């Protein structure tokens, strides 16, 4: 690669650092943002990479033109957002987090890679390893949740699934972990907003999942849009070079987020394009995503010696190395093949995993009187705007086709014929309210009379039924990029449907579609059961009906806390104890850390989820009371888990640890391990976790990552509130 680099002109080198928007290749002309880039038409094929063009045939053609136009016939990199699937869509990442099943998540990523590779994709902008605590932020859906450890496992699994051991292997694509760093903590949950994190919070909570992706050899890193402690990431040398490259040893490609280098101008850290380019290249950002900041400014900066030529060279070398790792110099089309597209896209194997992942991601939040699973003998009405909706794949699934997603109604017909009555009841969104979506705009144009007729029909059905299942939720464009919400409830007209149905029938089961934790106070009060199905993907409808009718059983656990109401946000389980803590009679007293109008606890906590059977936990026991920092010491914590119900079930057994006193205040508990256990009715099994001193490390008063001797508590149970505890001491 070095030889090639040395033979390239400066202009050629700089074009390797430019990413063109896909439209300009598809349309053959520069329009919109591409035109604004001011890149001459004859140069667009010299760009090092392009964004969001897909299809084996199209990409082979673009590659031919690129290699013909490029003086050294260097192949182009094709990058895309393959987030939760390609044509086959898996549940959104937040839902995947709820599976607590990294192996399954790895499988989903592997299949998404195989499909998109067949369509010519080389790089996906996934995993998103941003820790999320604020349900108002629309992009919580793209994260696997609020826990650093769980996120790290999921990010690792995704990287392994996309990349395998060798990027040249058929069906493998390069992964890009994003958005480095701290994008998941925008002030007040408003997208792109300022992020202020203490060094300790950044290191302890926010960085581990990115690091886990890099330890799994993730090939690329994407910068984040936000400022982190007043510095935009794309120009943050301390973050992108000192930490990422020098401390962590990352030698792969860093790409800016969409126009993020340019955005240093409105951020007010660069006075002009030249300054933005200099800041970014000095920070070690290799590729400028879809703006002309690099193409217009790097040449002069390097030619005049205002930046060392070595900065350009090292960035270009990293891009060339990535192309080489993917084998593009020998196989410029890589796996792009129309035959493989035909064979793989939406194939049975991928659909099966999509169905399994959907099923494992569903979280049963409530199930009074064991109303679920439904008995087929009962008179059941299935009502709600999601009964006939195909919009169940979530944001970022624009390579799928809505017609691939069967509706609840269609699957119901297929499996049960006309046994059950259905009705829409209302639209997803109020009449007249326009929602500007990611890929489409949504506008409900029905009249008041039409709306009333729909509602009346549903209420009449509900009155007649023994059980009503309501399919409600956020429209998919209420979540995702640019979709922050201050009111995290379902739309008012759906609430009205719920109230109207509950008024005539007490046996309501709510099936909830959502991309974020919602304020579910009313749904919880008016429903006997709530099954959260998120945005479940291509096989969602079947997975939902199978679960409702008990063919499968829920096993998902929340990867993010559901607040009592929006005023509690951000609320998360691994918080710190205050000096005025949550126990005792805090509710009565005034001077405690509490709200005077709502509880401190979330409505449904992290790690929580029910199933159709019940489990009992024995007291947790430890193998010995003292653990030594020295040597390879470890101790074990064991519980006996018993399935006390009458059907098989799966429980995610969780281990949390608390360091009782440290040189800095420690979280009230932290997830350290978990395991999924399936037990037959009546079966009991011992579940054992091993605890080593390395699991007790944290950033101490001197920012050293270390474990401090002292007293610890461990907790083993079915959610983050478990009080099933044992103590141990860590000694030197
Ligand atoms: C998003 C990224 C995404 C990129 C490319 C940006 O708007 O923040 O997550 O990968 O666009 O589509």
């Amino acid at each position: 690669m070095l030889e090639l680099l040395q033979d390239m002109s400066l202009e050629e080198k700089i074009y390797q650092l430019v990413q063109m928007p896909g439209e300009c290749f598809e349309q053959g002309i520069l329009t919109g943002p591409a035109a604004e880039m001011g890149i001459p038409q004859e140069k667009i094929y010299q760009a090092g990479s392009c964004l969001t063009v897909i299809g084996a045939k199209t990409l082979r053609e673009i590659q031919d033109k690129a290699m013909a136009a490029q003086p050294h016939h260097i192949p182009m990199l094709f990058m895309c957002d393959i987030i939760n699937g390609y044509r086959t869509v898996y549940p959104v990442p937040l839902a995947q987090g709820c599976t607590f099943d990294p192996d399954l998540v790895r499988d989903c990523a592997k299949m998404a890679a195989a499909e998109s590779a067949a369509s010519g994709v080389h790089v996906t902008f996934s995993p998103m390893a941003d820790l999320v605590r604020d349900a108002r932020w629309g992009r919580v859906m793209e994260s696997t949740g609020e826990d650093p450890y769980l996120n790290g496992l999921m990010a690792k699994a995704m990287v392994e699934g996309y990349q395998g051991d060798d990027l040249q292997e058929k069906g493998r694509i390069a992964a890009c972990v994003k958005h480095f760093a701290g994008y998941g903590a925008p002030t007040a949950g408003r997208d792109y907003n300022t992020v202020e994190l203490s060094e300790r919070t950044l290191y302890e909570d926010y960085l581990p999942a990115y690091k886990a992706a890099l330890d799994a050899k993730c090939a690329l890193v994407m910068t984040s849009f936000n400022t982190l402690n007043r510095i935009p990431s794309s120009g943050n040398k301390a973050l992108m070079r000192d930490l990422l490259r020098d401390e962590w040893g990352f030698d792969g490609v860093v790409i800016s987020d969409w126009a993020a280098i340019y955005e240093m101008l409105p951020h007010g850290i660069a006075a002009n394009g030249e300054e933005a380019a200099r800041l970014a290249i000095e920070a070690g950002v290799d590729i400028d995503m879809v703006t002309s900041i690099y193409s217009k400014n790097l040449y002069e900066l390097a030619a005049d010696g205002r930046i060392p030529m070595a900065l350009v060279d090292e960035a270009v070398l990293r891009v060339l190395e990535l192309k080489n790792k993917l084998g593009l110099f020998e196989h410029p089309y890589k796996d792009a093949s129309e035959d493989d597209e035909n064979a793989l896209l939406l194939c049975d194997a991928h659909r099966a995993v999509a169905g399994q992942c959907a099923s494992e991601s569903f979280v049963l939040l409530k199930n009074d009187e064991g109303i679920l699973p439904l008995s087929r003998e009962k008179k059941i009405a299935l009502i709600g705007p999601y009964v006939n909706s195909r919009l169940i794949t979530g944001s970022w699934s624009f390579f799928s086709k809505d017609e691939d997603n069967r509706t609840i109604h269609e699957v119901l017909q297929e499996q049960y014929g006309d046994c059950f009555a259905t009705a829409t009841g209302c639209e997803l969104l109020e009449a007249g309210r326009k929602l500007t979506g990611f890929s489409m705009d949504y506008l409900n144009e029905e009249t008041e009379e039409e709306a009333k007729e729909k509602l009346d029909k549903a209420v009449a059905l509900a009155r007649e039924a023994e059980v009503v299942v309501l399919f409600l939720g956020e429209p998919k464009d209420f979540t995702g990029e640019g979709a922050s919400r201050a009111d995290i409830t379902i739309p008012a007209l759906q609430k009205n449907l719920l109230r109207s149905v509950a008024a005539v029938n007490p046996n309501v089961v709510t099936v909830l579609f959502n991309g974020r934790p919602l304020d579910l106070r009313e749904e919880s009060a008016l429903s006997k059961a709530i099954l959260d199905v998120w945005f479940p993907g291509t096989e969602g409808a079947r997975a939902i009906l199978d679960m409702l009718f008990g063919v499968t059983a829920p096993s998902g656990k929340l990867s993010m806390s559901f607040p009592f109401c929006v005023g509690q946000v951000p609320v998360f389980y691994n918080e710190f104890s205050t000096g005025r803590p949550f126990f005792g009679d805090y509710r009565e007293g005034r001077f405690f850390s509490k709200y005077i109008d709502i509880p401190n606890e979330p409505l449904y906590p992290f790690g929580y989820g029910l199933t159709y059977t019940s489990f009992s936990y024995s007291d947790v026991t430890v193998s010995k009371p003292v653990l030594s920092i020295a040597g390879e010491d470890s101790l074990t914590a064991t519980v006996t888990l018993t399935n006390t119900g009458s059907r098989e079930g799966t429980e995610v057994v969780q281990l949390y640890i608390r360091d009782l006193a440290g040189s800095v205040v420690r979280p009230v508990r932290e997830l350290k391990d978990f395991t999924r256990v399936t037990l037959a009715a009546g079966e009991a099994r011992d579940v054992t976790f091993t605890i080593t001193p390395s699991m007790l490390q944290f950033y101490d008063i001197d920012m050293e990552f270390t474990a401090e001797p002292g007293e610890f508590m461990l907790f083993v149970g079915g959610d983050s509130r478990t009080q099933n505890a044992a103590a141990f001491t860590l000694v030197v």
Side-chain angles (χ1 to χ4, degrees):
M1 288 303 109
L2 214 50
E3 245 171 63
L4 171 59
L5 178 79
Q6 281 159 358
D7 204 45
M8 290 165 74
S9 70
L10 180 57
E11 188 192 61
E12 258 181 281
K13 288 179 187 173
I14 287 164
Y15 273 107
Q16 286 299 308
L17 309 182
V18 174
Q19 177 157 94
M20 297 301 294
E23 305 93 285
C24 65
F25 299 103
E26 284 178 321
Q27 297 160 0
I29 43 159
L30 289 175
T31 54
E36 284 159 26
M37 286 175 74
I39 292 183
Q41 183 69 32
E42 71 278 6
K43 295 285 181 202
I44 62 171
Y45 282 100
Q46 292 197 28
S49 58
C50 109
L51 172 69
T52 321
V53 190
I54 47 139
K57 186 164 178 288
T58 312
L59 290 185
R60 289 173 85 100
E61 284 166 14
I62 295 177
Q63 193 66 295
D64 285 342
K65 289 188 189 154
M67 291 177 71
Q70 220 288 328
H72 286 85
H73 313 300
I74 298 173
M76 195 181 265
L77 274 171
F78 299 128
M79 307 199 186
C80 252
D81 291 273
I82 310 299
I83 307 298
N84 47 306
Y86 178 64
R87 244 329 254 291
T88 310
V89 182
Y90 304 88
V92 292
L94 192 63
Q96 292 192 29
C98 297
T99 64
F100 280 68
D101 191 346
D103 291 338
L104 182 58
V105 168
R106 186 182 302 109
D107 283 349
C108 296
K110 186 178 172 191
M111 291 175 171
E115 288 194 9
S116 54
S119 279
V121 173
H122 302 143
V123 174
T124 175
F125 296 132
S126 172
M128 178 173 120
D130 302 320
L131 186 101
V132 290
R133 291 174 164 174
D134 192 326
R136 291 171 297 185
W137 192 45
R139 301 194 78 171
V140 301
M141 177 211 77
E142 296 172 56
S143 164
T144 47
E146 75 183 36
D147 183 64
Y149 173 69
L150 181 65
N151 284 357
L153 291 181
M154 293 304 186
K156 172 176 185 281
M158 288 184 196
V159 172
E160 291 167 350
Y162 295 128
Q163 297 193 162
D165 294 329
D166 179 1
L167 285 176
Q168 295 189 17
E169 210 179 87
K170 187 169 175 184
R172 299 302 190 173
I173 58 177
C176 174
V177 63
K178 67 190 188 185
H179 306 83
F180 198 67
Y183 183 42
T187 301
R190 177 158 54 83
D191 206 2
Y192 317 124
N193 205 4
T194 310
V195 174
E196 297 272 325
L197 293 171
S198 76
E199 191 186 17
R200 221 174 285 285
T201 304
L202 176 70
Y203 271 72
E204 208 149 296
D205 300 327
Y206 284 81
L207 293 183
Y210 307 112
K211 181 70 169 43
L214 296 177
D215 289 345
K217 302 197 170 43
C218 187
L220 297 93
V221 170
M222 186 187 289
T223 69
S224 58
F225 287 128
N226 56 278
T227 56
L228 175 62
N229 301 333
R230 322 283 160 100
I231 306 171
S233 301
S234 303
N236 190 337
K237 198 156 167 275
L239 183 70
M240 307 307 297
R241 200 176 274 280
D242 301 350
L243 174 70
L244 181 67
R245 300 243 187 244
D246 298 346
E247 203 179 314
W248 289 0
F250 177 68
D251 61 1
V253 169
V254 172
I255 184 168
S256 78
D257 200 349
W258 210 95
I261 301 181
Y262 160 79
E263 287 179 19
M264 286 197 279
L265 275 79
H267 270 306
I269 199 156
N272 50 45
E274 207 175 86
E275 230 173 270
R278 185 179 53 76
L279 283 171
I281 198 87
E282 283 176 356
V285 180
D286 303 318
I287 300 179
D288 175 6
M289 192 191 287
V290 306
T291 79
S292 54
I293 295 286
Y294 271 9
S295 62
K296 281 194 183 144
N297 298 288
L298 277 187
Y299 190 98
E300 308 250 296
L301 282 171
D304 299 355
R306 276 175 292 154
I307 56 163
M309 193 63 81
L311 282 185
V312 174
D313 282 352
E314 63 170 44
V316 176
L317 196 58
R318 285 191 283 256
V319 173
L320 296 177
E321 291 289 2
L322 175 60
K323 295 182 177 188
N324 196 33
K325 274 192 207 151
L326 283 155
L328 296 185
F329 288 99
E330 293 77 31
H331 304 287
Y333 309 130
K334 188 146 172 17
D335 306 324
S337 145
E338 287 176 87
D339 286 348
D340 288 344
E341 281 181 307
N342 290 334
L344 287 172
L345 271 48
L346 281 175
C347 67
D348 290 348
H350 295 181
R351 279 179 178 279
V353 169
Q356 188 192 344
C357 191
S359 192
E360 283 194 21
S361 74
F362 298 164
V363 185
L364 183 63
L365 296 174
K366 181 174 179 185
N367 194 19
D368 288 356
E369 300 160 28
I371 190 168
L372 286 179
L374 300 168
S375 155
R376 283 174 221 181
E377 309 311 315
K378 291 232 164 99
K379 192 166 181 198
I380 301 167
L382 296 96
I383 295 173
Y386 271 106
V387 166
N388 286 312
S389 177
R390 295 183 199 283
L391 305 178
I392 58 170
T393 51
S395 204
W396 286 121
S397 47
F398 36 61
F399 305 119
S400 73
K401 297 200 161 75
D402 290 340
E403 62 264 28
D404 296 337
N405 312 329
R406 277 166 315 150
T407 64
I408 294 287
H409 183 254
E410 285 164 353
V411 178
L412 193 70
Q413 288 278 311
E414 202 176 284
Q415 296 193 331
Y416 304 99
D418 282 326
C419 293
F420 307 112
T422 63
T424 313
C426 66
E427 292 296 300
L428 279 168
L429 206 57
E430 287 78 36
R433 181 163 169 200
K434 184 165 174 205
L435 177 61
T436 306
F438 212 131
S439 43
M440 60 169 233
D441 288 346
Y442 181 90
L443 178 63
N444 169 10
E445 289 177 299
E446 74 183 354
T447 62
E448 250 178 60
E449 293 69 45
E450 285 163 344
K452 184 170 181 310
E453 203 177 299
K454 240 183 223 163
L455 182 64
D456 289 350
K457 185 177 166 217
V459 172
L461 275 188
R463 193 175 276 119
E464 298 283 293
E466 287 172 272
V467 178
V468 184
V469 187
L470 278 178
F471 296 82
L472 308 174
E474 297 185 287
K476 82 172 192 181
D477 282 311
F478 266 29
T479 71
E481 189 174 345
S484 294
R485 299 183 64 202
D487 171 12
I488 49 172
T489 57
I490 62 170
L493 88 169
Q494 296 191 47
K495 281 225 179 232
N496 182 44
L497 174 65
L498 168 66
R499 286 179 203 133
S500 311
V501 164
V504 299
N505 192 322
N507 296 319
V508 174
V509 171
T510 295
V511 175
L512 190 74
F513 293 74
N514 52 329
R516 57 157 62 74
L518 293 171
D519 172 348
L520 293 181
R521 281 173 297 172
E522 192 166 9
E523 291 71 11
S524 177
L526 296 180
S527 316
K528 283 202 171 144
I530 302 180
L531 182 67
D532 194 333
V533 299
W534 310 103
F535 288 108
T538 311
E539 290 296 308
R542 179 190 287 274
I544 291 166
L545 286 168
D546 279 353
M547 195 162 284
L548 289 174
F549 286 105
V551 180
T552 56
S555 62
K557 299 278 190 174
L558 291 180
S559 58
M560 195 175 172
S561 307
F562 272 51
F564 182 82
C565 65
V566 74
Q568 230 183 24
V569 167
V571 61
F572 47 93
Y573 85 95
N574 48 355
E575 59 182 5
F576 304 107
S577 177
T578 66
R580 305 278 175 112
F582 291 3
F583 50 76
D585 59 353
Y586 79 91
R587 280 170 214 274
E588 275 73 53
R590 182 174 181 97
F591 301 107
F592 288 91
S593 177
K594 66 176 175 70
Y595 301 99
I596 59 174
D597 49 356
I598 58 165
N600 282 349
E601 296 77 19
L603 193 60
Y604 299 113
F606 175 83
Y608 170 82
L610 306 170
T611 184
Y612 293 158
T613 186
S614 50
F615 291 101
S616 77
Y617 283 78
S618 70
D619 288 347
V620 54
T621 56
V622 286
S623 56
K624 56 184 189 183
V626 175
L627 179 66
S628 166
I629 294 181
E632 309 260 289
D633 201 15
S634 65
L635 62 79
T636 58
T638 302
V639 288
T640 307
L641 179 74
T642 308
N643 181 343
T644 51
S646 55
R647 57 174 285 164
E648 186 188 276
T650 299
E651 169 75 330
V652 180
V653 182
Q654 300 156 45
L655 167 75
Y656 295 87
I657 296 185
R658 174 171 190 173
D659 184 348
L660 292 185
S663 57
V664 295
V665 170
R666 307 287 295 120
V668 292
R669 57 182 60 188
E670 292 171 290
L671 182 70
K672 292 293 177 180
D673 204 351
F674 58 83
T675 180
R676 287 172 60 89
V677 184
T678 302
L679 296 180
E683 192 184 346
R685 192 177 307 161
D686 283 352
V687 178
T688 298
F689 294 106
T690 302
I691 291 128
T692 61
S694 66
M695 289 160 77
L696 310 175
Q697 289 177 309
F698 68 101
Y699 289 90
D700 72 2
I701 187 80
D702 301 315
M703 279 303 286
E704 292 292 325
F705 193 60
T706 184
E708 291 177 348
E711 304 298 314
F712 289 78
M713 294 291 285
L714 60 83
F715 305 83
V716 178
D719 67 54
S720 61
R721 288 175 315 195
T722 177
Q723 294 303 324
N724 191 11
F728 68 94
T729 308
L730 183 69
V731 297
V732 215

